[in-house]
Amino acid sequence: MGSKGGGKAHAVRRSGEATVFGTGAKLLAGTMAALCLVLIGPSAPSGALVSAPLPAGAADDVVPNRVITWNICNPCGSGNNAGRAAEIATYAPQVIGLQEACVRDVEEIRDRLKRFYGLTYHVKYGSVLRNWGRCGGWPWRPGGFGQAILSAAPMTDHEVVEYPEGGSEDRGYMAVTTKVGGRPVRVFATHLAERRQEAVRATQVPVLAAEVARYERAVVLGDFNATPSTPELRRMWDVATAAGRQCRASLETACEPTTDWHLKFDYVFLRGIDALAHRVHPSPYSDHHLMQADLKPIPGGPST
């Protein structure tokens, strides 16, 4: 934990005691700092708030109709929130879905986006477990871990659903209603079971797909831990298309990889909406890339 400036230490001038008192105070302060780190855990805010510079060509403001999904990777080392915020600010989506997100990390990222880049986001959480090892907190109340959605527009009808079977750890999806391009859209964020747990994912996808199918317009942002042609994703392809229509189950070679191990695991699935363009942005702050989709204006025009 970092500390901010304060007044000078005051020595108690007693013969033969000043040095001993100073050393004891330092030991006590060090012990308390260590205890605080142990109790609060590994996801405590990292150092002073400083901004990371944005590259040339970065967005000046929130980009209407732009959505992003990003597994921010936990654990991927500490002190990454400044860089994560800068990555998001560079592309400035209207909506972003995050996976492997600790509540406290998202709070810091959101604060940095507003403080340093002038981007104001509403946030909703889809935590499906509390994990001290990943997210810190107090031993008796660990930090929340799961999904989060940040939206430039307010969100309503917030829902968090845990899959009946999670695999190696609890997994689920969250959903909100917000406005994309001025039109109401149901937005989902999810993280499916790990890569080698195909049978578990096969039980999760139908749960998500059935809910997505209820809506005329929906955006699904997530790390599905599966490549496009895997059997467990068939139900998603039945109810939605991927951003970039050339990417589909039958043409996996047209799908751009979204991970450091050169596989496509991350998707922007669309229902009742089409994408104008999509891009994948590698990042040094995660083993997953940011997956961006710029959506076509929704029929009907802006609605307030």
Side-chain angles (χ1 to χ4, degrees), residues 68 70 72 83-93 96 98 109 113 119 121 150 290:
I68 284 178
W70 190 21
I72 59 176
R84 290 166 173 163
E87 293 275 40
I88 295 170
T90 297
Y91 309 110
I96 182 167
L98 302 177
I109 291 168
L113 286 167
L119 300 174
Y121 285 97
L150 284 75
L290 292 84

Side-chain angles (χ1 to χ4, degrees), residues 152-274:
M155 293 175 276
T156 61
D157 303 317
H158 175 216
E159 182 181 25
V160 180
V161 175
E162 186 175 332
Y163 293 124
E165 188 176 355
S168 55
E169 66 180 13
D170 294 344
R171 295 287 167 96
Y173 73 81
M174 66 176 295
V176 300
T177 298
T178 188
K179 289 186 176 179
V180 178
R183 302 293 293 177
V185 175
R186 193 67 169 164
V187 178
F188 296 80
T190 192
H191 188 191
L192 299 191
E194 292 183 358
R195 176 179 178 181
R196 303 190 189 281
Q197 297 177 341
E198 297 92 341
V200 178
R201 291 196 300 275
T203 70
Q204 296 171 341
V205 172
V207 175
L208 175 62
E211 186 65 16
V212 172
R214 295 179 55 231
Y215 294 90
E216 179 183 356
R217 292 188 296 267
V219 174
V220 185
L221 308 168
D223 172 5
F224 284 73
N225 270 320
T227 55
S229 62
T230 51
E232 63 265 29
L233 288 191
R234 285 177 187 160
R235 186 71 180 102
M236 281 305 302
W237 294 112
D238 288 343
V239 302
T241 59
R245 284 187 176 271
Q246 69 274 24
C247 177
R248 53 188 184 272
S250 61
L251 194 59
E252 186 170 315
T253 54
C255 304
E256 192 171 355
T258 62
T259 65
D260 286 354
W261 47 97
H262 307 296
L263 294 173
K264 180 173 178 61
F265 279 1
D266 306 270
Y267 297 81
V268 176
F269 279 112
L270 304 172
R271 179 175 173 83
I273 308 170
D274 291 321

